Amino acid sequence: MRSTEGSAMLLNENDQALFTAAEAVRARAYAPYSKFQVGAAILADDGNIYAGCNVENAAYPVGNCAEPSAIAAMLAGGGKRIRRIYVTGPGTVPVTPCGGCRQRIREFADLDVEVISHGVDGEPLVQTLGQLLPHSFGPEFLGR
Ligand code: THU
């Protein structure tokens, strides 16, 4: 696995479990329009893994990304905070969360949480949320 510092890292036990969960749910993604199936898996503060996929819609803007699906699964299952998140998609280029999803992750994760982006046929990329979303606005601005 490569990090933004360029150091090679092996998948640890958590990452292997997250990758497996993200790939399993990615296979069920509903992406008939883009054909770009994405899976996301969260290791939450309760120690459980929660996964979600993208869900597209004939009314294109109404579709949603994999990350909010995984966040919804986390909240529904009783998890409250994201400790680590893995996003996987097709191809060799790491599927980094879109801008909106970075902000959605920001609501439930500290800035030092690592986001692992993976194109399934390539190498995973590890970045912190703070790297992905610098100078960001978050709940603490509103006293939360
Ligand atoms: N997609 C995600 O699920 N997560 C991202 O962070 C990037 C994009 C989905 C949305 C859409 O269904 C498809 O990928 C193509 O944009």
Side-chain angles (χ1 to χ4, degrees):
M1 191 185 312
R2 59 192 156 132
S3 72
T4 45
E5 284 76 42
S7 59
M9 293 160 58
L10 294 170
L11 280 180
N12 66 32
E13 205 173 297
N14 277 338
D15 291 343
Q16 188 59 58
L18 286 168
F19 175 63
T20 300
E23 272 301 300
V25 77
R26 189 169 82 81
R28 301 190 193 124
Y30 180 74
Y33 306 106
S34 72
K35 317 262 191 253
F36 195 86
Q37 292 182 293
V38 181
I42 291 168
L43 176 63
D45 56 342
D46 62 359
N48 291 321
I49 289 176
Y50 297 100
C53 57
N54 53 335
V55 184
E56 296 184 347
N57 193 283
Y60 291 178
V62 184
N64 69 265
C65 286
E67 295 90 331
S69 296
I71 289 170
M74 175 185 80
L75 295 171
K80 291 189 166 44
R81 299 288 295 171
I82 298 170
R83 298 292 186 227
R84 199 165 181 81
I85 179 166
Y86 206 108
V87 181
T88 153
T92 56
V93 177
V95 176
T96 49
C98 77
C101 286
R102 294 176 196 202
Q103 185 66 38
R104 291 185 179 94
I105 294 166
R106 171 74 164 87
E107 188 72 19
F108 300 102
D110 295 341
L111 292 172
D112 63 355
V113 160
E114 288 182 326
V115 179
I116 302 109
S117 307
H118 200 161
V120 67
D121 297 320
E123 286 219 11
L125 170 70
V126 184
Q127 294 166 295
T128 65
L129 178 60
Q131 286 175 308
L132 284 168
L133 196 67
H135 310 293
S136 60
F137 185 86
E140 68 277 10
F141 284 74
L142 301 175
R144 298 260 319 152

